[in-house]
Amino acid sequence: MIQITHEPIDAASVLAAVSDNNAGANLLFVGTTREWTSGTRTVELRYECYEPMAERQLTGLCHNARSRWNLTGVAVVHRVGVVPPGEASLAVAVSSPHRLASFEAGQWLIDRIKQVVPVWKQEIDEDGQGHWVHPVDTNETIVGHFPPTDKVRT
């Protein structure tokens, strides 16, 4: 299952898509909108993407993961449009006969999705200002925001 959607992500269905009787490990990662980022309150994220290219990139990444690890299933769903706090923007599920392959493949997929898939994220703060978020390595930073550390939630 590879999907770009404007609708809320059903994490259970993403996990079900990789279920296999030969899998001893089923791993699900769900990336959600957090309310606080670097001390700034986020009211929503807005995702944009070039869907045909994003789907091709996701397909290629899933094939690559299958060739690198012994996987029984791979599924990726990325939401676009407005995603409020607490809701999922990305779900990645992998299954494999043993847990190590699932953990490694899952982390690799998440990192590569952020690096190469043409999806752009804008954080909208409580003042209505939008800030584009750009991945740096596997961590995200927002340039120009250095709020009080007592407001930061990780």
Side-chain angles (χ1 to χ4, degrees):
M1 164 193 284
I2 295 165
Q3 183 181 14
I4 304 291
T5 183
H6 292 266
E7 302 301 321
I9 296 173
D10 178 3
S13 69
V14 178
L15 185 59
V18 302
S19 294
D20 185 292
N21 287 339
N22 293 312
N26 296 287
L27 180 84
L28 173 66
F29 168 83
V30 179
T32 58
T33 301
R34 60 184 166 264
E35 185 176 2
W36 293 95
T37 302
S38 301
T40 299
R41 185 164 183 252
T42 301
V43 295
E44 67 186 23
L45 295 179
R46 294 180 188 163
Y47 287 90
E48 296 178 14
C49 85
Y50 178 56
E51 289 188 39
M53 183 180 280
E55 288 174 355
R56 280 193 303 273
Q57 291 282 14
L58 291 173
T59 299
L61 290 173
C62 289
H63 287 301
N64 196 339
R66 283 181 174 275
S67 71
R68 293 177 68 162
W69 290 276
N70 180 22
L71 303 177
T72 57
V74 180
V76 177
V77 177
H78 205 305
R79 186 170 170 187
V80 293
V82 175
V83 183
E87 292 191 19
S89 56
L90 175 65
V92 174
V94 293
S95 59
S96 61
H98 304 283
R99 70 182 175 270
L100 184 59
S102 286
F103 280 120
E104 288 177 349
Q107 181 172 358
W108 181 85
L109 278 165
I110 294 158
D111 290 346
R112 293 299 292 155
I113 288 166
K114 289 185 165 277
Q115 292 167 351
V116 303
V117 177
V119 175
W120 304 279
K121 177 170 77 172
Q122 186 179 40
E123 289 188 352
I124 309 301
D125 65 28
E126 60 191 335
D127 295 328
Q129 294 184 346
H131 308 278
W132 290 101
V133 178
H134 305 285
V136 177
D137 294 320
T138 58
N139 296 311
E140 293 175 303
T141 60
I142 300 175
V143 177
H145 280 268
F146 304 99
T149 56
D150 65 329
K151 302 277 190 206
V152 176
R153 282 188 1 184
T154 56

